[in-house]
């Protein structure tokens, strides 16, 4: 009886300690995540300039949104951005992971250098690439000039601006995905490759029939996380082009920001946010469902 009481006290003490550590996280999530989402949902049914009292307008913002050509063009532009970034990023990440998945002198330094862009703040990375692309003093135009090619205004030209931001985004994200792929590669049992070698499989056959299929969960993870991230793109576009030239780089995240803080139309911006959030959620559910079908 005495032992049971002692055990019970110990569990209560552990529970109290756990609550002390969990409490700040719970408060943080309620204040900075859950409450803003609920309040934003409320604002999406109102007309609100940021001052005064929100005026309830029902589904007017959503009706306006579905007829808003600018919103759907920016959504398509965001999807184009994702479609360019994700395959390039995944391919380069996998190739880099294959290259560094071996024992060699200085491999830790190589991995650190590849990962360096990931820990570079997005604003700083955007400023650096703005300078690289500069038509007058940028290093990229300096290199092109060595080959007799005249200056190119990468960020000021409608045909190159979005693709230039894609390059920057791939550069910054490839290190993270490289580490994820590296972890996936190192989780594949060596015995599988040894058995394939005994059967006479060459390197290409091992890659196609062992490595790629066993990395399928990693592909899906990288794809889903990358998709959610690219669909919320904002900082690099805001810093590098601010949506120009002539809205050719205005992605939906930037449009929502401008609607809320430039035009002071918080209710409409909130409605946009929820539609974009719903699109991201549906795409994610579809991708996960597809993965389960393939796995079966």
């Amino acid at each position: 009886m005495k032992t049971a009481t002692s055990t019970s006290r110990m569990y209560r003490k552990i529970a109290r300690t756990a609550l002390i550590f969990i409490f700040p996280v719970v408060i943080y999530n309620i204040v900075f995540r859950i409450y803003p989402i609920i309040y934003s949902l409320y604002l999406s049914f109102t007309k609100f300039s940021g001052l005064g009292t929100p005026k309830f307008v029902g589904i007017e913002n959503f009706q306006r949104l579905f007829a808003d050509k600018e919103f759907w063009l920016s959504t398509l532009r965001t999807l184009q951005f994702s479609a360019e970034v994700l395959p390039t990023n995944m391919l380069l990440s996998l190739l880099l992971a294959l290259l560094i998945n071996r024992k060699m002198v200085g491999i830790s330094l190589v991995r650190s250098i590849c990962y360096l862009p990931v820990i570079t703040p997005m604003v700083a990375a955007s400023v650096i690439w703005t300078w690289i692309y500069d038509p007058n003093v940028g290093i990229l135009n300096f290199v092109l000039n060595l080959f007799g090619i005249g200056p190119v205004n990468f960020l000021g030209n409608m045909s190159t601006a979005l693709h230039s931001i894609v390059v920057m985004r791939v550069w910054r994200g490839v290190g993270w995905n490289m580490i994820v792929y590296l972890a996936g590669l190192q989780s594949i049992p060596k015995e599988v490759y040894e058995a394939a070698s005994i059967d006479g499989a060459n390197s290409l056959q091992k890659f196609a029939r062992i490595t790629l299929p066993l990395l399928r969960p990693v592909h899906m993870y990288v794809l889903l996380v990358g998709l959610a991230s690219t669909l919320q793109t904002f900082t690099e576009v805001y810093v590098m082009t601010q949506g120009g030239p002539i809205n050719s780089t205005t992605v939906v995240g930037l449009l929502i920001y401008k609607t809320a803080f430039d035009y002071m139309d918080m209710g409409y911006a909130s409605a946009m946010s929820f539609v974009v959030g719903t699109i991201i959620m549906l795409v994610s559910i579809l991708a996960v469902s597809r993965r389960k079908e393939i796995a079966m």
Side-chain angles (χ1 to χ4, degrees), residues 18-59:
L19 285 174
I20 290 171
F21 282 101
I22 292 172
F23 185 71
V25 179
V26 172
I27 295 299
Y28 171 82
N29 280 293
I30 290 174
V31 174
F32 294 104
R33 293 181 184 275
I34 297 174
Y35 173 73
I37 291 173
I38 294 172
Y39 189 64
S40 180
L41 178 61
Y42 161 69
L43 286 183
S44 68
F45 294 100
T46 67
K47 187 172 182 60
F48 183 50
S49 66
L51 298 172
T53 304
K55 180 184 176 184
F56 185 76
V57 293
I59 61 171

Side-chain angles (χ1 to χ4, degrees), residues 135-271:
N136 299 314
V137 297
I139 191 170
L140 186 54
N141 273 300
F142 173 77
V143 173
L144 292 176
N145 189 48
L146 295 178
F147 295 94
I149 301 174
V152 179
N153 191 357
F154 291 97
L155 297 178
N157 191 318
M158 287 180 64
S159 61
T160 57
L162 189 65
H163 306 305
S164 302
I165 300 174
V166 166
V167 173
M168 175 269 175
R169 183 59 183 266
V170 170
W171 167 82
R172 190 174 181 277
V174 77
W176 171 262
N177 291 334
M178 176 199 71
I179 295 298
V180 176
Y181 271 119
L182 183 62
L185 287 172
Q186 294 183 348
S187 69
I188 299 175
K190 293 180 180 177
E191 293 78 9
V192 181
Y193 291 109
E194 291 170 356
S197 298
I198 293 172
D199 290 339
N202 57 35
S203 299
L204 187 60
Q205 289 171 326
K206 290 180 197 173
F207 177 74
R209 299 183 181 180
I210 297 175
T211 306
L212 279 181
L214 291 182
L215 284 178
R216 192 173 292 153
V218 181
H219 298 317
M220 188 56 65
Y221 170 79
V222 171
L223 179 66
L224 285 179
V225 173
L227 186 63
S229 175
T230 52
L231 290 179
Q232 299 175 70
T233 296
F234 168 75
T235 306
E236 55 271 51
V237 177
Y238 182 79
V239 174
M240 295 175 74
T241 63
Q242 295 194 341
I246 316 179
N247 290 332
S248 60
T249 59
T250 299
V251 291
V252 71
L254 183 63
L255 182 65
I256 291 171
Y257 173 84
K258 286 183 174 180
T259 303
F261 298 104
D262 287 355
Y263 310 139
M264 301 305 291
D265 196 346
M266 303 285 182
Y268 188 46
S270 298

Side-chain angles (χ1 to χ4, degrees), residues 34 52 69 93 103 125 173 250 257 271 290:
I34 297 174
K69 188 178 177 182
S93 302
K103 294 180 180 177
T250 299
Y257 173 84
R290 179 62 182 160

